[in-house]
Amino acid sequence: MNLEEYRGVWVFIEQREGKLVDVGLELLGAGRALADKLEVDLCGVLLGSNVKDLAKDTFEYGADKVYVIDDPILEQYRTETYMKAVGDLVRKYKPEIFLYGATANGKDLASAVATEVMTGLTADTTLLDVNLEKRLFEASRPAFGGNIMATILCKKHRPQMATVRPKVMKKLDPQPGRVGEVIEESISLKEENLKTKVIEIVRSAKAAVNLEEAEIIVSAGKGIKDEKGFKMVEQLADVLNATVGASRDVVEMGLCGHDHQVGQTGATVTPKLYIAIGISGAVQHVVGMQNSEMIIAINNDPDATIFNVAHFGVVADAFEIVPLLTEEFKKALK
Ligand code: FAD
């Protein structure tokens, strides 16, 4: 592999039902900094059906070029079609860095493309940089339960790829009227030759919990004890228009589903406000919420380790303070 042939920073621009998913725009912000450092173009990859018009938005958020494949075969995400489309683009245009949002589809696609073009992939990165001297992408992520940051290099293969969770990177301020180049490509697959078909899309009756994109999270720990305690946390969340999070112990107690779990084996969250109620602060929990903008912890044990990461701490019995807070917020937010 001649590494010198690979130039440019690419971002997978995810869209759902014709609307851009925020994480793609966030990655354009991060990608812009890398591209400027390397003095190369920042390019988006946009796939779907009737999606070409979305390209102009990506220019406003920093893209110089967008590779578009607009084809009915790409209407719904399928590993088979998207992997082929992206794989062909990579083989033809040879980018050196390729970023994807760590959404369900982004994670699936990135790992499929990594095998398709035989390169490496770093998952769930939180810090991106380049070593200019060696022209190497440095993708860093927490490792060993968040106790160290590991910087992962892909020295011998290209593109150097990474996934980044939503809300970890920041969008640039849009520059209205900023323009770029749209490069239209096609896909050579035929529907009748595909192994997978989307027969029907069944939406979950219950709105899925979207912790990763939540702005306020009120999280319950084992200190809330039982269903009554969990209800109390839900009521506070309700008043604040917040999403309910939970520690693993609370999920294991059967008080809520795993989709509420924050931490190493749950969601990694970065809300503006995270209120931890009756959570001790085990490293496996903290690794999933420590990057929240503001953390308020409520715990009746003054030595609870959650206070080490909290910006504000309340040493109190949750059963006394939480209903009071709910009442006060109700009045204030009326
Ligand atoms: P506890 O540790 O039991 O803490 C309860 C807290 O409530 C205590 O600090 C106590 O002082 C306080 N309290 C009690 N009564 C009150 C009251 N009346 N008012 C106020 N405070 C009160 N955990 C996760 O959360 N997420 C994960 O993704 C996760 N992944 C894991 C993966 C692995 C491989 C392993 C080994 C563990 C994982 N864990 C995870 C579990 C983790 O180690 C802890 O066991 C868990 O986070 C503890 O949950 P907790 O804080 O709710 O409970």
Side-chain angles (χ1 to χ4, degrees), residues 220-223 225 246-250 261-266 278-282 284-285 298-301 304 316-319:
K222 207 171 167 185
K225 296 188 174 58
S247 69
R248 189 177 77 169
D249 287 36
V250 168
Q261 185 176 318
V262 172
Q264 187 184 327
T265 43
I279 293 178
S280 59
Q284 294 88 355
H285 185 83
I298 299 171
N299 198 303
N300 62 1
D301 173 7
D317 180 350
F319 290 89

Side-chain angles (χ1 to χ4, degrees), residues 217 219 262 269 271 273-276 279 285 289 292 294-296:
I217 295 174
S219 234
V262 172
V269 300
L273 175 62
Y274 189 90
I275 305 181
I279 293 178
H285 185 83
M289 46 66 82
S292 305
M294 182 186 287
I295 299 168
I296 301 177

Side-chain angles (χ1 to χ4, degrees), residues 21 24 33-34 42 48 55-56 69 104 117 159-160 206 213 217-218 286 288 290 297 307 320 323 331:
V21 175
L34 300 175
L42 174 64
K56 64 177 183 324
I69 306 183
V117 302
Q160 304 160 93
K206 193 170 135 266
E213 288 176 26
I217 295 174
V218 180
V286 167
Q290 63 193 351
F307 290 128
E320 282 176 22
K331 281 187 222 155

Side-chain angles (χ1 to χ4, degrees), residues 240-288:
L240 293 173
N241 205 7
T243 305
V244 175
S247 69
R248 189 177 77 169
D249 287 36
V250 168
V251 174
E252 284 178 352
M253 284 158 77
L255 296 175
C256 61
H258 178 262
D259 48 353
H260 289 270
Q261 185 176 318
V262 172
Q264 187 184 327
T265 43
T268 300
V269 300
T270 49
K272 292 201 170 115
L273 175 62
Y274 189 90
I275 305 181
I277 303 173
I279 293 178
S280 59
V283 63
Q284 294 88 355
H285 185 83
V286 167
V287 73

